[in-house]
Amino acid sequence: MTRADMLIVGSGFFGMTVAERMAELGLHVVVIDRRDHIGGNAFSEPDAETGIEVHRYGAHLFHTSNGAVWEYANRFTTFTPYVHHVYTKHRGEVYPLPINLGTINQFFRSALGPEQARQLIAEQASELNSEDAADLEQKAISLIGRPLYEAFIRDYTAKQWQTDPRELSADVITRLPVRYTYDNRYFNDRFEGLPTDGYTAWIERMADHPRIEVRLSTDFLDEGHDLSKSATVGRLPVVYTGPLDRYFDDVEGPLSWRTLDFEREVLPVGDFQGTSVMNYADPDVPYTRIHEFRHFHPERAYPADRTVIMREYSRFAQRDDEPYYPVNTAADRERLLRYRELARSERDVFFGGRLGTYQYLDMHMAIASAMSMVQNRLPEALSLGGVRR
Ligand code: FAD
Ligand code: NA
């Protein structure tokens, strides 16, 4: 590229939404990513052996109630009518999630109606008051009662956090939705579906613009190339979607994250579990869930004699692990405030996305947040007066 008006660090949904919007406004945008592929954590690829589309960084389900985001997404991809459902295995039985009337009646071997079930759960939850809850366990019991908590929440949460729920903060959960109907649709949003040709095709179409150049395997924080931090900051506007603490060389100490390990396996059967996601609620199974990718695209012609599964394990991230979910301890929150202060004084650098702001963002939230940055913060900062709007 002969000309770059702006550098974007990170080719996930946040970075690519900013890139596409700014290119449409007339700017020449360069996007770099340290990985050798585009798309950030939403990246997906056909499994080499079976052709089944695999989400490399964990199953990604698209859902939103934001009409503007839905309209924007539909410029680059169509969506299948996929509707997400999750089941969980507990003591040799499979139950529907989120906890609903079907879960309750199966668990208590009952045939309660909605009102009776509501009463039962209220009674069981009356054991503790939410306001008095000193830890996650007490909070959960105060919301849904001890029996459901012990079966479906306690050990799963302990696996997710490698921590006894009695040692987790009560505000890790604010609510535990129980549905007093048989509706076990996982998401409540107005729009839901999977990109017909996959996530990578969607994001590649966002990048397919004459004023966007993408350079992969290029780390902003590595020196020795013309798009590094020291070569660009102060010289052109930068949108940074990498980890906030790393940008500042961890001066305030590292922000803590959980990471996931994924164990992919091809099995010689046409269908392993009959559904896309099965949680494992019990402590004797070390993984939290198994994804079976063929079920995300029942409309596709996939092999009938092989299937791809991915076991998911959760643990605290070490320095070189992929950061996935903010741990958000009190120490993290204090550090975050100091990093935000530093970020504010970093002129012409705009921090965005889930890593750049240290918060979990669903894809639709990352897109919405990028659209809002383009609308509210970038035009003025870039003095786009002379640029075609
Ligand atoms: P990312 O996608 O993480 O992109 C950031 C990019 O920046 C990465 O490609 C990274 O390589 C790059 N980068 C970092 N540092 C540097 C550097 N120094 N130099 C160059 N490049 C750098 N959302 C949903 O809506 N539905 C789901 O079901 C869902 N499931 C998820 C499951 C998991 C396990 C995780 C972790 C997230 C899930 N999400 C889901 C969230 C979704 O992945 C994010 O919303 C989306 O990735 C946010 O995009 P982003 O651009 O902010 O970050
Ligand atoms: Na209660």
Side-chain angles (χ1 to χ4, degrees), residues 122 125-130 141-143:
S126 69
E127 177 183 341
L128 288 168
N129 261 326
S130 293
I141 291 172
S142 79
L143 294 170

Side-chain angles (χ1 to χ4, degrees), residues 41 59-61 63 187 257-258 289 324-328 353-355 357-366:
N41 276 8
H60 275 63
L61 293 311
H63 56 96
F187 299 113
W257 294 84
R258 279 193 295 129
R289 44 187 183 166
Y324 282 151
Y325 300 107
V327 176
N328 212 15
R354 55 179 203 97
L355 301 168
T357 57
Y358 190 65
Q359 47 175 328
Y360 178 79
L361 296 175
D362 270 330
M363 292 177 280
H364 66 106
M365 295 158 81

